[in-house]
Protein backbone atom coordinates (compact mmCIF):
# COMPACT_ATOMS: atom_id res chain seq x y z
CA UNK A 1 0.00 0.00 0.00
CA UNK A 2 1.25 3.50 -0.74
CA UNK A 3 0.28 6.75 0.94
CA UNK A 4 -0.23 10.12 -0.71
CA UNK A 5 1.05 12.77 1.70
CA UNK A 6 1.19 16.53 1.22
CA UNK A 7 4.61 17.92 2.15
CA UNK A 8 4.74 21.63 3.03
CA UNK A 9 8.44 22.51 3.51
CA UNK A 10 7.76 25.91 5.15
CA UNK A 11 10.62 28.41 5.54
CA UNK A 12 13.59 29.09 7.82
CA UNK A 13 14.79 25.66 8.97
CA UNK A 14 11.57 24.12 7.58
CA UNK A 15 12.96 22.83 4.25
CA UNK A 16 15.97 21.23 6.02
CA UNK A 17 14.02 19.41 8.72
CA UNK A 18 11.19 18.32 6.41
CA UNK A 19 13.71 16.93 3.89
CA UNK A 20 15.41 14.98 6.71
CA UNK A 21 12.00 13.67 7.78
CA UNK A 22 10.96 12.68 4.27
CA UNK A 23 14.17 10.65 3.85
CA UNK A 24 13.70 8.91 7.21
CA UNK A 25 10.05 8.06 6.52
CA UNK A 26 11.00 6.67 3.09
CA UNK A 27 13.59 4.48 4.83
CA UNK A 28 10.90 2.78 6.97
CA UNK A 29 10.06 0.70 3.87
CA UNK A 30 6.57 2.18 3.52
CA UNK A 31 5.78 3.77 0.19
CA UNK A 32 4.94 7.47 0.21
CA UNK A 33 3.99 9.69 -2.74
CA UNK A 34 5.02 13.13 -1.56
CA UNK A 35 3.05 16.01 -3.02
CA UNK A 36 5.16 19.11 -2.32
CA UNK A 37 3.06 22.26 -1.79
CA UNK A 38 4.03 25.67 -0.49
CA UNK A 39 2.69 28.29 1.87
CA UNK A 40 4.09 31.38 3.59
CA UNK A 41 5.96 34.57 2.74
CA UNK A 42 8.02 33.15 -0.13
CA UNK A 43 4.87 31.72 -1.67
CA UNK A 44 3.22 35.13 -1.39
CA UNK A 45 6.01 36.60 -3.53
CA UNK A 46 5.79 33.71 -6.01
CA UNK A 47 2.04 33.32 -6.47
CA UNK A 48 0.44 36.24 -4.64
CA UNK A 49 -1.09 33.96 -2.00
CA UNK A 50 0.16 33.06 1.47
CA UNK A 51 -1.89 29.90 1.63
CA UNK A 52 -2.75 28.91 -1.95
CA UNK A 53 -5.96 27.00 -2.54
CA UNK A 54 -3.82 24.32 -4.26
CA UNK A 55 -2.05 23.62 -0.95
CA UNK A 56 -5.31 23.31 0.98
CA UNK A 57 -6.84 21.25 -1.83
CA UNK A 58 -3.87 18.84 -1.70
CA UNK A 59 -4.30 18.28 2.06
CA UNK A 60 -8.05 17.81 1.60
CA UNK A 61 -7.39 15.20 -1.08
CA UNK A 62 -4.58 13.35 0.71
CA UNK A 63 -6.09 13.80 4.20
CA UNK A 64 -2.64 13.94 5.75
CA UNK A 65 0.31 16.34 5.59
CA UNK A 66 3.76 16.93 7.02
CA UNK A 67 4.52 20.61 7.46
CA UNK A 68 7.65 22.59 8.26
CA UNK A 69 7.43 25.76 10.34
CA UNK A 70 6.42 29.01 8.65
CA UNK A 71 7.55 32.47 9.76
CA UNK A 72 4.83 34.86 10.83
CA UNK A 73 6.03 38.39 9.96
CA UNK A 74 5.10 40.79 12.77
CA UNK A 75 2.74 43.68 11.93
CA UNK A 76 2.33 42.90 8.22
CA UNK A 77 -1.46 42.95 8.31
CA UNK A 78 -2.20 39.22 8.44
CA UNK A 79 -2.38 36.67 11.17
CA UNK A 80 -0.36 33.48 11.35
CA UNK A 81 -0.55 31.26 8.28
CA UNK A 82 -0.32 28.31 10.69
CA UNK A 83 -3.50 29.44 12.44
CA UNK A 84 -5.19 29.97 9.04
CA UNK A 85 -4.27 26.44 7.94
CA UNK A 86 -5.63 24.89 11.14
CA UNK A 87 -8.85 26.90 10.88
CA UNK A 88 -9.40 26.20 7.15
CA UNK A 89 -9.08 22.43 7.70
CA UNK A 90 -10.89 22.38 11.07
CA UNK A 91 -7.86 20.79 12.76
CA UNK A 92 -9.29 21.28 16.22
CA UNK A 93 -6.89 19.11 18.26
CA UNK A 94 -3.25 20.01 18.64
CA UNK A 95 -1.53 16.97 20.12
CA UNK A 96 1.96 17.53 21.52
CA UNK A 97 3.64 14.59 23.22
CA UNK A 98 6.61 15.47 25.44
CA UNK A 99 8.50 12.27 26.12
CA UNK A 100 11.98 11.92 27.57
CA UNK A 101 14.41 9.71 25.64
CA UNK A 102 17.47 8.34 27.44
CA UNK A 103 20.56 10.33 26.46
CA UNK A 104 18.76 13.64 26.05
CA UNK A 105 20.29 16.61 27.81
CA UNK A 106 17.50 17.38 30.30
CA UNK A 107 17.08 18.09 34.01
CA UNK A 108 14.39 15.39 34.17
CA UNK A 109 14.46 11.73 33.27
CA UNK A 110 10.89 10.51 33.64
CA UNK A 111 8.72 12.87 31.63
CA UNK A 112 6.00 11.36 29.46
CA UNK A 113 3.27 13.95 28.93
CA UNK A 114 0.78 14.56 26.15
CA UNK A 115 -0.63 18.06 25.75
CA UNK A 116 -3.99 18.15 23.93
CA UNK A 117 -4.47 21.79 23.04
CA UNK A 118 -7.74 23.19 21.68
CA UNK A 119 -6.78 24.65 18.31
CA UNK A 120 -9.68 26.79 17.05
CA UNK A 121 -11.04 29.06 19.78
CA UNK A 122 -9.92 31.09 22.81
CA UNK A 123 -7.79 34.21 22.37
CA UNK A 124 -6.42 32.60 19.19
CA UNK A 125 -9.75 32.82 17.36
CA UNK A 126 -8.59 36.13 15.86
CA UNK A 127 -11.57 38.13 17.13
CA UNK A 128 -9.68 41.36 17.76
CA UNK A 129 -10.33 45.09 17.63
CA UNK A 130 -7.59 47.71 17.23
CA UNK A 131 -7.71 50.70 19.60
CA UNK A 132 -9.45 53.91 18.50
CA UNK A 133 -11.15 52.38 15.44
CA UNK A 134 -14.86 53.17 14.80
CA UNK A 135 -15.90 49.50 15.18
CA UNK A 136 -13.96 49.23 18.46
CA UNK A 137 -15.58 52.38 19.83
CA UNK A 138 -19.02 51.07 18.79
CA UNK A 139 -18.41 47.85 20.66
CA UNK A 140 -17.07 49.61 23.75
CA UNK A 141 -20.10 51.92 23.85
CA UNK A 142 -22.37 48.87 23.68
CA UNK A 143 -20.43 46.95 26.35
CA UNK A 144 -20.36 49.96 28.68
CA UNK A 145 -24.08 49.40 29.16
CA UNK A 146 -23.19 46.21 31.05
CA UNK A 147 -19.70 46.90 32.37
CA UNK A 148 -19.63 50.70 32.78
CA UNK A 149 -16.39 52.25 33.97
CA UNK A 150 -14.40 49.03 33.67
CA UNK A 151 -13.98 49.93 30.01
CA UNK A 152 -11.82 52.77 28.73
CA UNK A 153 -12.54 54.38 25.35
CA UNK A 154 -8.96 53.85 24.13
CA UNK A 155 -8.89 50.09 24.66
CA UNK A 156 -7.84 47.47 22.13
CA UNK A 157 -9.79 44.23 22.49
CA UNK A 158 -8.97 40.56 21.95
CA UNK A 159 -12.01 38.43 22.61
CA UNK A 160 -11.61 35.09 24.37
CA UNK A 161 -14.08 32.58 22.98
CA UNK A 162 -15.21 29.11 24.06
CA UNK A 163 -18.19 27.32 22.53
CA UNK A 164 -20.00 24.36 23.99
CA UNK A 165 -19.42 22.55 20.67
CA UNK A 166 -15.66 23.28 20.50
CA UNK A 167 -15.11 22.50 24.15
CA UNK A 168 -16.98 19.19 24.04
CA UNK A 169 -15.09 17.88 21.02
CA UNK A 170 -11.60 18.70 22.35
CA UNK A 171 -12.28 17.17 25.76
CA UNK A 172 -13.75 14.08 24.12
CA UNK A 173 -10.69 13.88 21.86
CA UNK A 174 -8.41 13.93 24.92
CA UNK A 175 -10.28 11.08 26.61
CA UNK A 176 -10.42 9.03 23.40
CA UNK A 177 -6.69 9.64 22.91
CA UNK A 178 -6.04 8.46 26.48
CA UNK A 179 -8.08 5.31 25.92
CA UNK A 180 -6.50 4.51 22.53
CA UNK A 181 -2.99 5.02 23.83
CA UNK A 182 -3.34 3.23 27.18
CA UNK A 183 -2.87 6.38 29.22
CA UNK A 184 -4.09 6.43 32.82
CA UNK A 185 -5.23 9.98 33.46
CA UNK A 186 -6.60 13.18 31.86
CA UNK A 187 -6.08 16.53 33.60
CA UNK A 188 -8.07 19.60 32.55
CA UNK A 189 -6.21 22.90 32.86
CA UNK A 190 -8.24 26.09 33.40
CA UNK A 191 -8.61 29.44 35.13
CA UNK A 192 -12.34 29.10 35.78
CA UNK A 193 -12.07 30.89 39.12
CA UNK A 194 -11.47 34.12 37.16
CA UNK A 195 -12.86 33.46 33.65
CA UNK A 196 -16.09 31.97 34.88
CA UNK A 197 -17.85 31.66 31.55
CA UNK A 198 -15.17 30.65 29.02
CA UNK A 199 -12.88 28.55 31.22
CA UNK A 200 -15.92 27.74 33.35
CA UNK A 201 -17.54 26.12 30.30
CA UNK A 202 -14.31 24.25 29.53
CA UNK A 203 -14.11 22.91 33.10
CA UNK A 204 -17.80 21.99 33.41
CA UNK A 205 -17.66 20.18 30.07
CA UNK A 206 -14.57 18.25 31.13
CA UNK A 207 -16.26 17.23 34.40
CA UNK A 208 -19.33 16.05 32.51
CA UNK A 209 -17.45 14.14 29.81
CA UNK A 210 -15.10 12.51 32.33
CA UNK A 211 -18.12 10.55 33.62
CA UNK A 212 -18.29 8.74 30.25
CA UNK A 213 -14.74 7.41 30.85
CA UNK A 214 -14.75 5.69 34.25
CA UNK A 215 -11.64 3.71 33.22
CA UNK A 216 -9.59 6.93 33.02
CA UNK A 217 -8.67 8.99 36.07
CA UNK A 218 -9.70 12.64 35.86
CA UNK A 219 -8.21 15.66 37.60
CA UNK A 220 -8.47 19.45 37.29
CA UNK A 221 -5.80 22.08 37.92
CA UNK A 222 -5.64 25.86 37.68
CA UNK A 223 -3.18 27.00 35.01
CA UNK A 224 -0.79 28.94 37.26
CA UNK A 225 -0.64 26.10 39.79
CA UNK A 226 0.14 23.50 37.14
CA UNK A 227 2.86 25.67 35.60
CA UNK A 228 4.76 25.49 38.88
CA UNK A 229 3.86 21.87 39.58
CA UNK A 230 4.93 20.67 36.13
CA UNK A 231 8.40 22.04 36.76
CA UNK A 232 8.58 20.31 40.14
CA UNK A 233 6.75 17.02 39.54
CA UNK A 234 6.09 16.39 35.84
CA UNK A 235 5.65 12.68 36.57
CA UNK A 236 2.33 13.47 38.31
CA UNK A 237 0.70 14.20 34.94
CA UNK A 238 -0.20 12.17 31.88
CA UNK A 239 -2.61 13.60 29.25
CA UNK A 240 -3.47 17.29 29.71
CA UNK A 241 -6.35 19.02 27.93
CA UNK A 242 -6.13 22.80 27.66
CA UNK A 243 -7.71 25.84 26.03
CA UNK A 244 -5.69 27.17 23.12
CA UNK A 245 -3.43 29.81 24.73
CA UNK A 246 -2.58 27.82 27.88
CA UNK A 247 -1.86 24.86 25.58
CA UNK A 248 0.48 26.95 23.46
CA UNK A 249 2.48 28.16 26.45
CA UNK A 250 2.52 24.98 28.54
CA UNK A 251 3.45 22.72 25.62
CA UNK A 252 6.58 24.86 25.19
CA UNK A 253 7.27 24.34 28.88
CA UNK A 254 6.82 20.63 28.20
CA UNK A 255 9.38 20.87 25.38
CA UNK A 256 11.79 22.44 27.88
CA UNK A 257 11.39 19.41 30.16
CA UNK A 258 12.43 16.91 27.49
CA UNK A 259 15.42 18.58 25.86
CA UNK A 260 14.13 21.71 24.15
CA UNK A 261 12.48 22.67 20.87
CA UNK A 262 14.45 20.16 18.83
CA UNK A 263 12.70 17.30 20.62
CA UNK A 264 9.03 18.33 20.68
CA UNK A 265 6.75 16.95 17.95
CA UNK A 266 3.11 17.70 17.22
CA UNK A 267 0.05 16.95 15.18
CA UNK A 268 -2.93 19.12 14.28
CA UNK A 269 -5.79 16.72 13.93
CA UNK A 270 -9.44 17.07 12.96
CA UNK A 271 -12.18 14.59 12.12
CA UNK A 272 -11.12 14.48 8.45
CA UNK A 273 -7.57 15.81 8.07
CA UNK A 274 -4.28 15.81 9.97
CA UNK A 275 -1.19 18.00 9.60
CA UNK A 276 1.92 16.95 11.49
CA UNK A 277 4.44 19.61 12.47
CA UNK A 278 7.01 20.19 15.21
CA UNK A 279 6.20 22.52 18.09
CA UNK A 280 9.13 24.78 17.21
CA UNK A 281 9.12 27.69 14.79
CA UNK A 282 11.22 28.54 11.74
CA UNK A 283 14.33 29.46 13.81
CA UNK A 284 15.57 32.00 11.22
CA UNK A 285 18.87 32.52 13.12
CA UNK A 286 20.03 28.99 12.32
CA UNK A 287 18.35 28.49 8.93
CA UNK A 288 20.41 27.21 6.01
CA UNK A 289 23.33 26.08 8.20
CA UNK A 290 22.50 22.35 8.45
CA UNK A 291 22.59 22.58 12.27
CA UNK A 292 18.87 22.43 13.14
CA UNK A 293 17.77 19.37 15.05
CA UNK A 294 15.49 17.31 12.77
CA UNK A 295 14.22 15.08 15.61
CA UNK A 296 11.11 17.10 16.49
CA UNK A 297 10.04 16.92 12.85
CA UNK A 298 10.99 13.23 12.55
CA UNK A 299 9.04 12.48 15.76
CA UNK A 300 6.10 14.31 14.15
CA UNK A 301 6.53 11.90 11.23
CA UNK A 302 6.40 9.05 13.76
CA UNK A 303 3.06 10.44 14.98
CA UNK A 304 1.90 10.41 11.37
CA UNK A 305 2.79 6.71 11.05
CA UNK A 306 0.64 5.95 14.10
CA UNK A 307 -2.15 8.08 12.66
CA UNK A 308 -1.94 5.94 9.50
CA UNK A 309 -2.07 2.89 11.82
CA UNK A 310 1.36 1.74 10.59
CA UNK A 311 2.25 0.59 14.10
CA UNK A 312 5.09 -1.78 13.14
CA UNK A 313 6.90 0.88 11.15
CA UNK A 314 6.29 3.38 13.95
CA UNK A 315 7.75 1.00 16.52
CA UNK A 316 10.86 0.42 14.43
CA UNK A 317 11.31 4.11 13.80
CA UNK A 318 10.98 4.97 17.49
CA UNK A 319 13.57 2.30 18.34
CA UNK A 320 15.95 3.74 15.74
CA UNK A 321 15.49 7.29 17.05
CA UNK A 322 15.93 6.18 20.67
CA UNK A 323 19.12 4.26 19.80
CA UNK A 324 20.69 7.24 18.01
CA UNK A 325 19.85 9.55 20.92
CA UNK A 326 21.16 7.11 23.52
CA UNK A 327 24.44 6.58 21.67
CA UNK A 328 24.77 10.38 21.51
CA UNK A 329 27.36 10.56 18.70
CA UNK A 330 25.28 11.42 15.66
CA UNK A 331 23.19 14.21 17.12
CA UNK A 332 22.99 17.96 16.48
CA UNK A 333 24.68 20.54 18.71
CA UNK A 334 21.55 21.34 20.78
CA UNK A 335 21.55 17.70 21.98
CA UNK A 336 25.10 17.84 23.29
CA UNK A 337 25.74 18.21 27.02
CA UNK A 338 28.65 20.50 26.17
CA UNK A 339 27.25 23.41 24.14
CA UNK A 340 30.68 23.99 22.63
CA UNK A 341 31.10 20.38 21.56
CA UNK A 342 33.00 19.93 18.28
CA UNK A 343 31.64 16.48 17.46
CA UNK A 344 28.00 17.43 16.74
CA UNK A 345 26.67 16.38 13.34
CA UNK A 346 24.47 18.30 10.91
CA UNK A 347 20.73 18.00 10.29
CA UNK A 348 21.06 15.58 7.38
CA UNK A 349 23.76 13.47 9.07
CA UNK A 350 21.51 13.05 12.15
CA UNK A 351 18.79 11.79 9.78
CA UNK A 352 21.32 9.48 8.08
CA UNK A 353 22.15 7.95 11.48
CA UNK A 354 18.48 7.09 12.03
CA UNK A 355 18.22 5.67 8.51
CA UNK A 356 21.31 3.55 9.23
CA UNK A 357 19.73 2.21 12.45
CA UNK A 358 16.46 1.45 10.65
CA UNK A 359 18.36 -0.79 8.27
CA UNK A 360 19.65 -2.88 11.18
CA UNK A 361 16.23 -3.37 12.87
P1 LIG B 1 11.56 29.12 17.26
O1 LIG B 1 10.99 27.83 17.75
O2 LIG B 1 11.73 29.26 15.81
O3 LIG B 1 12.99 29.35 17.96
C1 LIG B 1 13.14 29.39 19.39
C2 LIG B 1 14.56 28.94 19.75
O4 LIG B 1 14.67 27.53 19.54
C3 LIG B 1 15.64 29.57 18.88
O5 LIG B 1 16.78 29.72 19.68
C4 LIG B 1 15.91 28.52 17.82
O6 LIG B 1 17.20 28.59 17.25
C5 LIG B 1 15.70 27.23 18.61
N1 LIG B 1 15.21 26.12 17.76
C6 LIG B 1 13.97 26.00 17.22
N2 LIG B 1 13.87 24.87 16.52
C7 LIG B 1 15.07 24.26 16.60
C8 LIG B 1 15.59 23.04 16.07
N3 LIG B 1 14.85 22.22 15.30
N4 LIG B 1 16.87 22.72 16.34
C9 LIG B 1 17.62 23.52 17.11
N5 LIG B 1 17.20 24.68 17.66
C10 LIG B 1 15.93 25.05 17.40
O7 LIG B 1 10.62 30.28 17.85
P2 LIG B 1 10.54 31.81 17.48
O8 LIG B 1 11.93 32.37 17.32
O9 LIG B 1 9.64 32.39 18.50
O10 LIG B 1 9.79 31.86 16.09
C11 LIG B 1 10.40 32.07 14.83
C12 LIG B 1 9.31 32.18 13.78
O11 LIG B 1 8.61 30.94 13.67
C13 LIG B 1 8.23 33.24 14.10
O12 LIG B 1 7.89 33.91 12.90
C14 LIG B 1 7.06 32.44 14.59
O13 LIG B 1 5.83 33.08 14.36
C15 LIG B 1 7.20 31.19 13.75
N6 LIG B 1 6.56 29.99 14.34
C16 LIG B 1 6.01 29.12 13.47
C17 LIG B 1 5.43 27.96 13.96
C18 LIG B 1 4.81 27.01 12.98
O14 LIG B 1 5.04 27.14 11.79
N7 LIG B 1 4.03 26.07 13.43
C19 LIG B 1 5.47 27.67 15.33
C20 LIG B 1 6.10 28.57 16.18
C21 LIG B 1 6.65 29.73 15.68
Amino acid sequence: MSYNVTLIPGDGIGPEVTEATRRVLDATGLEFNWEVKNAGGEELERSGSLLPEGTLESVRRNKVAIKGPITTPIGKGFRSINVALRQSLDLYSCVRPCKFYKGVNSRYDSVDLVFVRENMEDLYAGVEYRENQPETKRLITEMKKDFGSKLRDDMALSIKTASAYGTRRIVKYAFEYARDNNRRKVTVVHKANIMKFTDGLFLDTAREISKEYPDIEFSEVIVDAITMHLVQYPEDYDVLVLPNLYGDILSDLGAGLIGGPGMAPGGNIGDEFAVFEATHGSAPQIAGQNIANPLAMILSGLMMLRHLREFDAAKRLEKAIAAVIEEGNKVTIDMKHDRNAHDAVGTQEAADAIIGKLQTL
Side-chain angles (χ1 to χ4, degrees):
M1 174 164 184
S2 70
Y3 295 100
N4 297 330
V5 178
T6 304
L7 179 76
I8 305 170
D11 55 38
I13 60 171
E16 299 163 66
V17 294
T18 50
E19 173 59 9
T21 303
R22 185 194 62 72
R23 293 196 300 111
V24 167
L25 290 174
D26 281 338
T28 60
L30 297 173
E31 199 181 315
F32 294 102
N33 305 316
W34 303 103
E35 201 169 287
V36 178
K37 294 285 171 183
N38 295 303
E42 289 170 20
E43 183 57 24
L44 179 67
E45 279 166 31
R46 217 173 6 245
S47 70
S49 171
L50 276 166
L51 182 55
E53 188 47 40
T55 301
L56 284 172
E57 197 273 323
S58 168
V59 184
R60 288 196 185 104
R61 190 166 8 89
N62 296 329
K63 313 264 186 241
V64 65
I66 285 270
K67 174 186 160 296
I70 296 175
T71 305
T72 304
I74 295 168
K76 289 265 179 77
F78 57 86
R79 291 199 170 79
S80 163
I81 208 67
N82 304 301
V83 175
L85 184 72
R86 290 166 203 163
Q87 294 198 339
S88 307
L89 297 168
D90 200 22
L91 306 172
Y92 63 88
S93 308
C94 177
V95 181
R96 291 180 165 175
C98 290
K99 177 174 170 181
F100 172 81
Y101 286 92
K102 201 168 170 203
V104 162
N105 184 14
S106 167
R107 291 169 193 268
Y108 303 86
D109 61 6
S110 60
V111 179
D112 188 3
L113 301 165
V114 180
F115 292 86
V116 177
R117 162 187 172 191
E118 199 286 321
N119 230 2
M120 310 293 288
E121 305 195 326
D122 197 15
L123 284 160
Y124 264 73
V127 184
E128 294 198 282
Y129 292 87
R130 196 185 294 280
E131 77 284 2
N132 294 326
Q133 298 302 301
E135 61 276 16
T136 318
K137 288 191 169 163
R138 234 179 9 248
L139 192 60
I140 290 174
T141 305
E142 197 53 38
M143 289 196 301
K144 272 189 170 174
K145 292 179 189 161
D146 290 323
F147 296 101
S149 58
K150 280 187 193 170
L151 298 172
R152 291 180 55 92
D153 290 330
D154 59 354
M155 277 176 162
L157 301 169
S158 297
I159 311 287
K160 179 171 162 99
T161 65
S163 70
Y165 169 78
T167 302
R168 263 194 89 71
R169 67 177 178 172
I170 191 65
V171 173
K172 241 184 145 41
Y173 185 92
F175 276 97
E176 288 294 325
Y177 180 96
R179 204 175 252 175
D180 274 0
N181 291 277
N182 298 317
R183 315 285 304 210
R184 69 192 154 86
K185 172 166 147 184
V186 171
T187 300
V188 61
V189 180
H190 66 92
K191 187 83 183 174
N193 50 331
I194 303 297
M195 279 157 282
K196 296 190 189 300
F197 303 131
T198 45
D199 282 14
L201 177 61
F202 204 88
L203 176 60
D204 287 346
T205 307
R207 285 177 177 162
E208 183 194 315
I209 287 180
S210 70
K211 293 184 193 137
E212 297 168 26
Y213 297 85
D215 49 320
I216 294 170
E217 195 187 326
F218 171 66
S219 71
E220 41 186 79
V221 192
I222 292 178
V223 64
D224 36 341
I226 199 175
T227 307
M228 178 177 62
H229 208 239
L230 268 176
V231 174
Q232 289 184 297
Y233 307 107
E235 65 281 359
D236 284 1
Y237 298 97
D238 189 349
V239 175
L240 301 115
V241 61
L242 317 90
N244 207 335
L245 183 63
Y246 308 151
D248 182 35
I249 297 168
L250 283 192
S251 58
D252 260 37
L253 185 147
L257 301 176
I258 51 136
M263 284 301 298
N268 299 294
I269 301 165
D271 291 333
E272 283 188 85
F273 315 113
V275 176
F276 294 88
E277 62 176 336
T279 297
H280 64 68
S282 57
Q285 320 85 330
I286 59 169
Q289 299 171 41
N290 193 35
I291 58 171
N293 189 348
L295 285 174
M297 198 68 235
I298 294 171
L299 287 164
S300 308
L302 172 67
M303 289 175 71
M304 184 185 82
L305 295 185
R306 292 196 180 118
H307 177 82
L308 296 171
R309 309 200 78 72
E310 289 289 353
F311 296 114
D312 284 346
K315 212 177 200 173
R316 280 197 309 121
L317 176 54
E318 188 171 29
K319 259 191 179 166
I321 294 169
V324 169
I325 295 174
E326 189 168 357
E327 284 170 16
N329 305 319
K330 301 283 174 64
V331 293
T332 48
I333 185 72
D334 57 302
M335 301 281 288
K336 291 284 182 185
H337 292 261
D338 172 6
R339 290 182 197 185
N340 298 313
H342 293 296
D343 59 344
V345 301
T347 309
Q348 300 309 325
E349 293 70 29
D352 288 339
I354 295 168
I355 293 169
K357 280 279 177 239
L358 272 171
Q359 281 155 3
T360 67
L361 291 170

